[in-house]
Amino acid sequence: MFSRRLSLIACAALLLSACGSTPTPPPVTPVAQQATPPSPPRKVRIGLALGGGAARGFAHIGVIKALEAQGIVPEIIVGTSAGSVVGSLYASGLNGFALQKTAMAMDEATISDWALPLFGKSTGVLKGEALQSYVNKAVNNVPMERLKIRFGAVATDLRTGQPILFNKGNTGMAVRASSAVPSVFQPVKIGANSYVDGGLVAPVPVKFVKDMGADFIIAVNISSATEGAATASSLDVLMQTFSIMGQRLNYFELKEADIVITPALGNMGSSDFGSRNLAILAGEQAAASVMPQIKAKLKAKQQAH
């Protein structure tokens, strides 16, 4: 009897022991942590700085054609004067060939609106409204901030002499202000201020392209050489004066560009609209001649990113 009771007590003790113990969990097999893949390098933002030079600005079209042929398309464009005209149309979505077609069809009369002097006084022989309308029609009245490529136009504040970058609002008006050569075009009133040609302060607007976020800047300098430049008209004389004034500005400005393209325009005058086809060809040739440098520097910049 006693041994039976002892057996029962022993069984109960074993059961209680089993109930009170915590079962040992099975070993956990660690899951190998997957390494986070490195972020792909950020695409280099290409910027295009298009300088001023009136009719010599047709060369910009040739440069754009040559760049596009190699798959080089900018994400940022800033233009001064003639550069702002070409730049705005390019930013609206016209490719190089469409730009050339537009240029060849351009009639000077469509951008010339003569102003009658008021009591013998005039601030410019052209009002500039025709140029504004021409550009707005070409870009389908799209404001600057809604163009397909980020675009800016540089003008000069007539009161302070400071450069101003327009990158929002009426595209045609900004281009008109950027192209308002003093004594040729009337100053453009925007808000409380009046503006004239951006070539006075930024002949080739490299700094503004950089300020807008470009990593790789291609500058196109179409200003005439100070020696042997054509001075057959009052516009030629004015543009030659601009070139002389802008030489020092360009010296420092162009140093900030990764590539400077200078089309061989010879003695082409600023009012020589009849040579537009030759100017386009000169732009293509100039860009093609430095294409190996562009590709090598672009590759190095991409690797650095």
Side-chain angles (χ1 to χ4, degrees):
M1 186 75 175
F2 175 77
S3 64
R4 184 180 177 189
R5 185 177 297 174
L6 188 60
S7 297
L8 289 173
I9 293 172
C11 288
L14 286 171
L15 287 172
L16 289 172
S17 173
C19 292
S21 64
T22 303
T24 303
V28 177
T29 304
V31 178
Q33 288 188 336
Q34 294 183 349
T36 304
S39 300
R42 182 174 61 81
K43 182 182 176 184
V44 172
R45 285 188 294 262
I46 300 173
L48 196 56
L50 303 178
R56 296 166 69 92
F58 288 110
H60 290 315
I61 297 173
V63 171
I64 289 168
K65 285 181 64 182
L67 292 174
E68 282 188 333
Q70 298 298 320
I72 300 171
V73 179
E75 292 185 45
I76 298 167
I77 305 168
V78 179
T80 290
S81 199
S84 73
V85 178
V86 175
S88 65
L89 271 58
Y90 186 34
S92 75
L94 296 181
N95 63 21
F97 287 99
L99 286 173
Q100 182 169 2
K101 183 178 179 181
T102 300
M104 299 310 294
M106 178 187 285
D107 181 0
E108 279 184 77
T110 61
I111 58 171
S112 301
D113 47 358
W114 300 96
L116 295 175
L118 182 62
F119 303 114
K121 298 178 180 179
S122 176
T123 55
V125 295
L126 297 175
K127 291 184 287 185
E129 293 173 358
L131 175 61
Q132 177 177 328
S133 297
Y134 175 84
V135 170
N136 277 334
K137 182 178 179 181
V139 304
N140 295 315
N141 293 306
V142 174
M144 301 178 80
E145 65 272 20
R146 289 177 50 202
L147 294 173
K148 294 181 179 179
I149 302 175
R150 289 180 63 199
F151 170 68
V154 180
T156 304
D157 188 314
L158 189 57
R159 182 179 63 85
T160 65
Q162 294 298 309
I164 179 73
L165 175 70
F166 292 105
N167 55 17
K168 291 181 180 180
N170 188 302
T171 303
M173 182 173 285
V175 170
R176 174 187 171 191
S178 180
S179 307
V181 179
S183 298
V184 177
F185 286 94
Q186 295 177 350
V188 180
K189 189 78 176 290
I190 301 176
N193 299 328
S194 294
Y195 299 94
V196 293
D197 196 292
L200 290 168
V201 288
V204 185
V206 174
K207 176 183 178 298
F208 288 101
V209 179
K210 189 174 184 179
D211 289 346
M212 286 183 68
D215 304 307
F216 187 87
I217 302 173
I218 300 171
V220 187
N221 180 20
I222 57 168
S223 60
S224 59
T226 54
E227 294 183 10
T231 53
S233 68
S234 57
L235 178 60
D236 287 338
V237 173
L238 273 171
M239 298 309 295
Q240 173 70 347
T241 304
F242 275 23
S243 294
I244 294 169
M245 292 169 56
Q247 272 190 332
R248 190 161 183 81
L249 288 172
N250 272 346
Y251 176 77
F252 293 103
E253 190 96 348
L254 294 176
K255 280 185 174 182
E256 298 296 315
D258 294 278
I259 293 288
V260 178
I261 299 174
T262 306
L265 297 170
N267 294 335
M268 178 182 175
S270 298
S271 57
D272 187 3
F273 283 80
S275 296
R276 66 190 77 181
N277 204 32
L278 292 176
I280 293 171
L281 180 60
E284 285 189 73
Q285 292 173 336
S289 69
V290 296
M291 197 60 69
Q293 294 173 250
I294 295 175
K295 289 183 175 181
K297 288 192 174 185
L298 256 177
K299 184 178 179 180
K301 183 79 76 168
Q302 184 69 65
Q303 290 173 342
H305 271 61

